[in-house]
Amino acid sequence: MQATLTSRRPLDVALTLAPHGRGPGDPCQQRAADGSIWRTSLQATGPVTYRVTQTGRHSARCQVWGPGGAELLSRLPALLGDEDACDDFAPAHPILAEAHRTHPHLRIGSTRRVFEALVPAVLEQRVHTIAAHRSWRRLVRTHGTPAPGPAPDGMRVPPAPDVWRRIPSWEYHRANVDPSRSRAIVRAAEVADRLEALADLPPDDAQRRLTSLPGIGVWTAAEVAQRAFGDADALAVGDYNIARMVGWSLAGRPFDDDEMVEYLEDVRPHRYRAVRLLVVSGHAVLPKFGPRTPIVDHTWH
């Protein structure tokens, strides 16, 4: 089964789907040699493997395998950012204006799979991204299910919420996930059905409800909103690098979170879009000085 999306605006499949990948070797997302993107998901109707291929500047084809295929195809426009409205985005800063002009194909897509976006975001809390991706790979490879259809070797469908809930504490420990993060995942898994309903709420309301969960702060909620809701304003306040990067890139000095929020006020409701544009356009600046963030290993404790 397959479907083709043709948009009035330029598309870039790889750029739109990139934020959903969790590093090299992600068992749920891989890029093939021909440029197509392979992904897996657990939809409400079941597991799905899907392959998205760029077919033109304004078009893409999506092929699906598995019980969740029809549901996935019904959400293809949202997934590839065709529902992302940015006609009112007119940044005054010359760097952002130039990045927007040269990257009209930047889209903020929406998977509408809240729990699937939440788990890897929790794994990335307060640890080095490399370590979080390693934990994600180990847990999904161990507890996920084989990808339906002709997926590339090693691809897996993310575990269902009930599986995440029943993973023993010692297995989280072996995956280098400390108790605070594993508890947050387990508690979210217990209310996963209610979490999925958040995709139908206004973004601000959805994020408020997310942060009411134990162990889910504003940074984690923003990471979920960017991917599951396609929220172009979901600024990841509290990130180790983003405020500094925005400051160096746009003002020539590092910002703290409060300064970043104030500086980006004039691009609301497109603050996340502005950050993405800085990165993909090559305008992101982050001087490398001082000690690197350590990769913390919790498995020996």
Side-chain angles (χ1 to χ4, degrees):
M1 185 163 38
Q2 65 179 35
T4 298
L5 174 68
T6 302
S7 176
R8 65 179 179 85
R9 293 191 291 137
L11 288 172
D12 188 319
V13 166
L15 188 64
T16 302
L17 296 179
H20 304 288
R22 304 293 175 169
D26 183 352
C28 301
Q29 179 161 317
Q30 295 187 24
R31 184 171 183 172
D34 65 358
S36 62
I37 308 298
W38 289 83
R39 298 199 75 240
T40 64
S41 176
L42 185 61
Q43 302 285 299
T45 49
V48 60
T49 298
Y50 57 102
R51 178 192 184 208
V52 187
T53 306
Q54 190 93 35
T55 55
R57 190 166 186 262
H58 292 258
S59 61
R61 180 179 67 251
C62 183
Q63 300 163 280
V64 297
W65 297 267
E71 183 180 359
L72 187 284
L73 288 180
S74 72
R75 295 174 176 170
L76 186 61
L79 179 68
L80 296 185
D82 198 44
E83 299 176 357
D84 176 29
C86 64
D87 293 343
D88 61 338
F89 181 58
H93 196 290
I95 290 178
L96 287 176
E98 174 65 9
H100 185 44
R101 185 188 69 80
T102 58
H103 289 73
H105 46 283
L106 177 71
R107 307 289 193 90
I108 311 300
S110 163
T111 65
R112 296 183 63 83
R113 302 306 297 158
V114 180
F115 185 75
E116 278 186 14
L118 180 63
V119 172
V122 170
L123 292 176
E124 293 174 10
Q125 291 175 349
R126 302 181 302 279
V127 300
H128 200 291
T129 303
I130 294 173
H133 289 169
R134 188 180 300 147
S135 300
W136 169 253
R137 289 195 301 268
R138 175 166 182 153
L139 290 166
V140 173
R141 287 171 180 168
T142 303
H143 300 282
T145 56
D153 290 343
M155 291 201 73
R156 309 281 286 179
V157 176
D162 190 54
V163 176
W164 286 107
R165 185 179 60 80
R166 291 185 286 105
I167 293 175
S169 59
W170 57 266
E171 288 200 30
Y172 279 112
H173 184 73
R174 285 185 174 180
N176 199 22
V177 180
D178 59 87
S180 65
R181 288 182 291 153
S182 63
R183 282 195 297 268
I185 292 172
V186 169
R187 289 167 177 166
E190 293 171 346
V191 295
D193 288 345
R194 278 183 278 167
L195 289 179
E196 299 310 322
L198 299 183
D200 297 321
L201 296 179
D204 287 348
D205 291 345
Q207 289 202 57
R208 277 194 294 271
R209 296 200 186 188
L210 275 174
T211 55
S212 71
L213 293 173
I216 308 302
V218 293
W219 180 88
T220 306
E223 292 286 307
V224 173
Q226 292 163 8
R227 294 163 175 82
F229 309 148
D231 184 355
D233 197 50
L235 185 62
V237 175
D239 190 272
Y240 182 77
N241 287 317
I242 287 178
R244 293 190 300 133
M245 183 273 288
V246 169
W248 280 114
S249 303
L250 300 180
R253 63 178 179 83
F255 284 165
D256 61 22
D257 283 333
D258 290 340
E259 290 173 310
M260 174 182 67
V261 170
E262 181 180 0
Y263 198 87
L264 294 180
E265 183 63 29
D266 67 336
V267 297
R268 189 189 288 269
H270 299 281
R271 294 175 299 172
Y272 171 55
R273 187 189 312 282
V275 172
R276 283 278 288 148
L277 278 170
L278 287 176
V279 174
V280 304
S281 67
H283 289 294
V285 176
L286 189 59
K288 296 181 179 180
F289 52 80
R292 296 184 63 186
T293 309
I295 301 177
V296 179
D297 185 354
H298 299 280
T299 60
W300 63 274
H301 293 289

